[in-house]
Amino acid sequence: MQIIPAIDIKDGHCVRLRQGDMQAATVFSEEPAAMAQHWLELGAERLHLVDLNGAVSGRPKNELAIREIVSVVGDDVPIQLGGGIRDLDTIERYLDDGISFVVIGTAAVKNPGLLHDACYAFPGHIIVGLDARDGKVATDGWSKMSGHDVVDLARKFEDYGVEAIIYTDIGRDGMLTGVNIAATVNLAREVKTPVIASGGIASLKDIHDLLRYESEGIIGAIAGRALYEGRLDFKDALKAAKGGA
């Protein structure tokens, strides 16, 4: 299982939000590219980027910062990026810029045809992000509830050929209350597509809890605030994920 550091970008800075609230942002670095380099040096095998302004506005807003990260990372590790991706041209541009995987969230729910076309046009490069509260999917930077059941949508998108599913419990994201193991495992059991856990990872215990279900198809865990606040030591998490203590 991979431990994937999150670099959330707002107004060109690396920040963390609480439950997706743009007004509750904590700035952890003025230079996202330097933060990417930091995680690389600690052994990161994948990075998770989010254009937070893009997620809210529906179009890319932090492309300069993203390109700077790509220039630092190069071909060393894959980068997955979400936030404000609503059309095939944007997907193609990001992939051409060096992004490995494009994460489609709100657009997948509102316009499933886009996700279907993206999977066809860019096979192996499309990840769907399902952000849910109480089993229902949220959209628009988590500001709206769609009413769609997360498992039903996951099955539908699996048929499209998505590379992976990022599942985020938005009630826990940024709250350091622990990942929603039950909901994550339930989703992983209902689909064959690999699942990446996200939202609420607070400590090494969460990593160990997820590892118990790695065989169910949970291939990674995205960690944010816990890493930045020092509650989760990245090297310890990597060691655990590779079968260490």
Side-chain angles (χ1 to χ4, degrees), residues 196-239:
I196 298 172
S198 174
I201 289 176
S203 69
L204 201 57
K205 180 182 183 298
D206 290 310
I207 304 301
H208 284 298
D209 287 347
L210 283 170
L211 281 166
R212 290 169 52 202
Y213 301 99
E214 186 175 12
S215 62
E216 304 278 2
I218 299 174
I219 64 165
I222 297 170
R225 182 174 290 274
L227 289 178
Y228 288 100
E229 293 188 351
R231 297 168 184 259
L232 174 65
D233 182 272
F234 185 60
K235 286 189 174 182
D236 287 347
L238 281 182
K239 183 179 179 183

Side-chain angles (χ1 to χ4, degrees), residues 1 13 15 41 78 107 109 120 125 207 209 218 220 239:
M1 190 175 80
H13 301 147
V15 308
E41 291 171 355
V109 180
Y120 179 80
H125 294 282
I207 304 301
D209 287 347
I218 299 174
K239 183 179 179 183

